[in-house]
DNA sequence: TAGTGGTCTAGACCACTAG
DNA sequence: TAGTGGTCTAGACCACTAG
């Protein structure tokens, strides 16, 4: 029997089934909290617990004063987990530091990083390695702050742990990713030991702090047959 | 004053601030529900409401019997919204049907779709159009069921609405995406009116039902300079 | 005005953890 | 055993919606 199933789970499964089986259709209102309270003979708080899970899982949405409604399915969002494959197994890549420099940023980087003065940037260049094989070339730019030691920044970048270099604010950033395809140019083909014009998957990331200040910009060039992105 | 802010919001903001400012560090336990109840002078239910939001937003996780702990930031997941740009604006693409056929699937499709008998498949070929310009070529395979009218399937595919062809079970599917880069081969270059070897961003999707049965497989070939994927 | 969801309480009992 | 989170109740009052 289901006697060890919590009550909120019973009502949750019940509504989920009605949505999945099509008894409740997108945009249709589901029974009100009061109705569910009476039908299932449970308290409103417990009903609301089940509903809040349905909301979080994207099954329903609420309109105050009107009711709860079935969501339209959304097939256009999916989540990329960079370090996981399609079976949700972790993929561990090594990285090999090529060099770290402090430079006057080239104009395209100035624009991308919204640098409007003569501030310098730190450039970190690395290889991404999988089983002793180069699979990508990675280049990251971050604002140079003479007061901060560079080595610490390097360390963090190299370990892919944080992107804004201080653990204290690590939860406080926003990341924007772009994905596109290109062919390897002369320079990249030498760096990655591949033929010129070999297909490359490019991941571009811009990292902003809570004030929309850009605190990092990076590009990773993946050799296309050695890497693919997987999403669910 | 903050008098119109609900109590759960106050405690929510408070804990969020402690995490973002670094007062509470990853893996560290946050004050217990009882402590929060006393400190903030609010009921446990309200405290739990705030905590459940923090859990959903990925700030904390719970260990039964031990407490609530600050999550490690995860920079490796991001969400791709296929029809949105980086400013979260909707992008609407048109599609133009090229043709629909019922064929004996080629062997690579048989493997991908796990077809082990002589079942046929429906093939839908389309262009994706943006402002009267072809930006991609799209090909989708779905199991052919002689009992179902094909036109309905077409319609659904063309409208990008559902991927398993019956609204009733639309919430009940799983989608796996792969993203990779390649160059246009002879045939694709003709289809998309581009040079051979032009860079192509490839989106591959496999759609499974709740029983892990493959109910659709599709590939979209984007002309790289006309399309990029954006994620947050 | 009747019905809907939103916030909140005080209290109960249970399951898990760790000393 | 003391402390933690997990489930659940009966009830209150409020804000929003729509006729």
């Amino acid at each position: 029997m289901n006697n060890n199933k919590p009550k909120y789970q019973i009502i949750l499964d019940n509504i989920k089934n009605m949505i999945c089986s099509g008894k409740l259709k997108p945009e249709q209102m589901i029974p009100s909290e009061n109705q569910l309270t009476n039908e299932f003979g449970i308290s409103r708080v417990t009903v609301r617990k089940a509903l809040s899970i349905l909301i979080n899982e994207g099954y329903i949405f609420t309109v105050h004063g009107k009711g709860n409604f079935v969501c339209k399915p959304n097939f256009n969002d999916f989540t990329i987990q960079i370090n996981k494959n399609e079976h949700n197994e972790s993929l561990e890549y090594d990285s090999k530091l090529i060099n770290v420099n402090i430079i006057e940023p080239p104009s395209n980087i100035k624009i991308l990083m919204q640098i409007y003065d003569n501030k310098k940037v730190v450039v970190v260049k690395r290889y991404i390695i999988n089983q002793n094989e180069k699979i990508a070339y990675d280049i990251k730019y971050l604002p140079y702050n003479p007061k901060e030691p560079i080595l610490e920044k390097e360390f963090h970048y190299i370990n892919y742990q944080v992107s804004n270099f201080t653990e204290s604010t690590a939860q406080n950033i926003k990341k924007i990713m772009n994905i596109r395809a290109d062919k390897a140019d002369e320079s990249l083909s030498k760096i990655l030991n591949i033929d010129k014009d070999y297909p490359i998957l490019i991941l571009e990331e811009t990292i902003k702090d809570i004030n929309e200040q850009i605190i990092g910009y990076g590009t990773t060039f993946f050799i296309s047959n050695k890497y693919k992105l997987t999403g669910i």
Side-chain angles (χ1 to χ4, degrees), chain A residues 89-186:
Chain A
E89 296 157 348
S90 281
L91 306 169
E92 292 293 338
Y93 297 115
D94 298 317
S95 70
K96 191 185 161 210
L97 188 65
I98 302 169
N99 60 46
V100 180
N101 285 302
I102 297 160
I103 61 163
E104 184 93 21
S107 59
N108 63 326
I109 296 297
K110 276 200 170 183
I111 294 164
L112 285 166
M113 295 188 68
Q114 297 167 10
I115 296 173
Y116 303 119
D117 48 25
N118 289 323
K119 281 212 184 95
K120 294 190 167 180
V121 293
V122 180
V123 189
V124 182
K125 292 176 183 169
R126 301 179 305 148
Y127 291 122
I128 312 290
I129 311 269
N130 185 27
Q131 297 176 327
N132 294 317
E133 197 180 33
K134 289 180 201 168
I135 63 167
Y137 170 63
D138 181 76
I139 176 160
K140 297 212 184 299
Y141 299 88
L142 33 148
Y144 173 55
N145 181 349
K147 284 170 205 151
E148 286 179 42
I150 299 160
L151 274 171
E152 192 194 353
K153 291 183 183 180
E154 269 177 58
F155 176 78
H156 283 309
Y157 253 136
I158 289 159
N159 285 278
Y160 245 156
Q161 288 307 307
V162 293
S163 305
N164 62 340
F165 329 121
T166 60
E167 285 218 342
S168 57
T169 51
Q171 297 275 12
N172 223 352
I173 66 158
K174 219 174 93 181
K175 193 168 178 174
I176 297 155
M177 307 287 302
N178 278 312
I179 303 168
R180 54 181 218 275
D182 207 343
K183 296 190 287 187
D185 62 13
E186 194 72 40

